[in-house]
Amino acid sequence: MLKKDENWWRQAAIYQIYPRSFKDSDGDGLGDIKGITEGAKYLKSLSLDAVWLSPFFPSALADGGYDVADYRNVDPRLGTLKDFDAMLKALHAEGIRVFVDIVPNHSSDQHLWFQEALASKPGSKARARYIFRDGRGKNGELPPNEFVSHFAPSAWTRSKNPDGTLGQWYFHLFAPEQPDFNWDNREVQLDFLKTLKFWSDRGVDGFRIDVAHALKKDFSRFGHEHSKKDTMTITTTGRDILFDRDEVHEVYREWRKLFNQYNPPRVAVAEAYVPSVRRTLYATPDELGQAFNFDLLGAKYSSKEFKRIVTENIALAAQSGSSSTWVLNNHDVVRTVTKYGLPDGTDFSQYLLSDGTSAPLNLELGQRRARAAAMFIMALPGCTYIYQGEELGLFEVADLKHADLQDPTWKRNVVLKRQRVFFKRNNKYINGVAEIHLEKGRDGCRVPLPWTSSGPSFGFGSGKGHLPQPLGYGPLSMQAQSKIKGSTLDIYRTALKLRKKLQTTEEFEWIKTGDPQVVHFSRKNGWHCITNFDGADFTLPKGEILHSSSPLKGRKLPKNTTVWLKA
Ligand code: GLC
């Protein structure tokens, strides 16, 4: 059962479920809501406080579900609202709370409102919910400006009028199937309040807010800025055209009023890719309450980097009155096992494009380091996030075939290159055009989970999964690892169980080690965490050894290992 505690979220262990790849209960190749219910016992065995579900709403899957066609429903391929309620009940009964992913910046182009907008005239009420503009040029054939999208060359797509003629352009920060909402529109604002209320009333405990920093835009400058705006770089002024505008906080202050009508208040965490000094603004108690700290996602496996990031983020969290979040993996980035198991300086994007052939992967090293990093973050004050499969030591599937890829970052980042190719039939060279993909995309970390050592999809479902699993996933399955003492799963289970008992304080202090490769902190309640990143064997100080991420050498801590001590 759930404990009544308003502050349950401050030091929680939260597991991210990517529903389509978690567990498939009906054999159609897609993970589903009943699959999560079936997995409740497994989730319980990880001593979690909460799970966060990536989108499970009706979607055309142009962006793995982050293109939502109906915010208050379940994708029929994944189940029904009744299944959702049953899942919520089952997880709550195991003491696990549930976060839902809210995608407010854009909807799917299949959303009723967008379809209505396409069917309506320029200037209509229906179009005002999105961002429609006339094109430039004689016949409106040029986009309103040159903004680029994250997933496509242009952030504008020309719409078709109901009679089939070309019409206005609409704006999308991501794929063309993800039109951006106009957040100055009151109807949009009210509809999201309705969505948040809908899930809160069902008993959902919290929300992860997708691209939380992008909702408000400065439309007055849309017609004038024709430069190719780099949509990746964000300034800290609060006055950028597209991102992190000061007005976005009005939205979250209104949301907080709604969250606080519940007991315990609903919690929320912002996905805001903004410079760290601006992140705290989203995390204040009168707004979302917490914001993701993604600094470790981009960091190298390095004592210096980890130490700097922790120091900075603990200070930042204190400024906002929130606690920090620690994230090593999610559905958007290369899995840590692969990142840490590749030689220093490897270009991960190139590694994926080469199907994993551009550099040698040391799997054992990657897993060892990933476990050390995980036990390091679990001991920090604040929330620990675990992305499904991380607890199994899964590696990034780098050799997915092109035909299997689903991610729009693969499909849309294409350039055409002229090539001379030898044409066998005519025995001569001809000029052709080849498609060059600039990114392989994020499918390699979204491959279905292995539950058993064998079977058509290693127990994920009764048939094959929507993305093929590599053979190497069998020995990493839950079934295989559950039997092995010292397996990654076993180490995670023990660590998370201990963590639950030890997270009694948010106090924290660094302790000098005399070795730059060895990082030591204590939580002032006698709990010590020491990580030897890449140094010589390190003699441990006094204290009872509670747990380690890999075997110790007596009282010596080998490199790539974390130990927890009780002083
Ligand atoms: C977030 C999600 C990512 C998605 C994007 C657009 O960054 O994590 O998966 O593609 O938003 O919704």
Side-chain angles (χ1 to χ4, degrees), residues 416-422 429-436:
L416 299 178
K417 196 178 161 206
R418 289 207 167 282
Q419 269 190 342
R420 269 175 79 70
V421 283
F422 190 67
Y429 280 95
I430 59 158
N431 285 325
V433 177
E435 279 191 350
I436 312 280

Side-chain angles (χ1 to χ4, degrees), residues 18 52 63 66-67 101 103 106 151 174 178 208 210-211 271 273 330-332 407-408 442 446:
Y18 192 75
W52 142 36
D63 181 19
Y66 284 89
D67 46 321
D101 210 321
V103 190
H106 45 265
F151 293 166
F174 294 90
Q178 295 167 292
R208 178 254 189 198
D210 190 69
V211 208
E271 186 215 29
Y273 270 102
N330 68 24
H331 65 296
D332 289 331
D407 188 357
R442 301 163 294 177
R446 300 176 177 182

Side-chain angles (χ1 to χ4, degrees), residues 39-82:
K41 285 272 176 288
Y42 173 69
L43 295 168
K44 162 113 177 143
S45 80
L46 294 171
S47 308
L48 303 168
D49 297 294
V51 295
W52 142 36
L53 310 183
S54 278
F56 50 79
F57 317 105
S59 167
L61 299 184
D63 181 19
Y66 284 89
D67 46 321
V68 180
D70 178 356
Y71 289 86
R72 300 187 281 272
N73 216 332
V74 175
D75 188 322
R77 289 165 293 186
L78 270 60
T80 61
L81 281 169
K82 225 171 130 201

